[in-house]
Amino acid sequence: MSAPRPHPARYFHGGVPGLAPGGIILPPEATGTGRTLTTDVLDMGGQARRDRVYVTTGREVARVYAALYPDGALYVVEPVGELVADRDCAVAGVSWECPAARVVRVVDPVVLHRVRPFEAWLRKLDRVTGEAGAA
């Protein structure tokens, strides 16, 4: 289901490091990237699409995704193409999917995964997603 973009909105993406402003983030299906949180979500029985890029309005939500890459980067991005609500996110207005995203700014070039265990990152993801939805 398409949903109108919250306007104005700032979108974030946490994932593959090394991109510069103007760079295009493509979905795993297009890049051949095998190790993604999308793969983990599918393995756990969730709904995710390998042909989409996921963006969020929550900076800390994207930071967790960057850490779980692992050691990915945190970006401010501009969605490219149709923006659709992420049907696997239980908090409305926080997570979105689109065909691609353009890097506007690099917020943090490396978010270190090893600073906390995987389970702690997942607990943080639950907490910050709820906080982003309440904002």
Side-chain angles (χ1 to χ4, degrees), residues 30-89:
T31 63
T33 302
R35 174 66 187 107
T36 65
L37 199 54
T38 298
T39 302
D40 293 341
V41 168
L42 292 169
D43 288 346
M44 293 184 283
Q47 298 179 24
R49 295 181 59 180
R50 290 189 49 79
D51 65 336
R52 292 292 183 259
V53 170
Y54 288 85
V55 300
T56 178
T57 53
R59 178 181 173 144
E60 288 303 303
V61 173
R63 179 176 298 285
V64 172
Y65 279 93
L68 292 173
Y69 182 74
D71 299 344
L74 174 61
Y75 304 103
V76 172
V77 299
E78 174 183 88
V80 175
E82 182 181 22
L83 191 65
V84 178
D86 177 359
R87 58 192 167 150
D88 198 44
C89 183

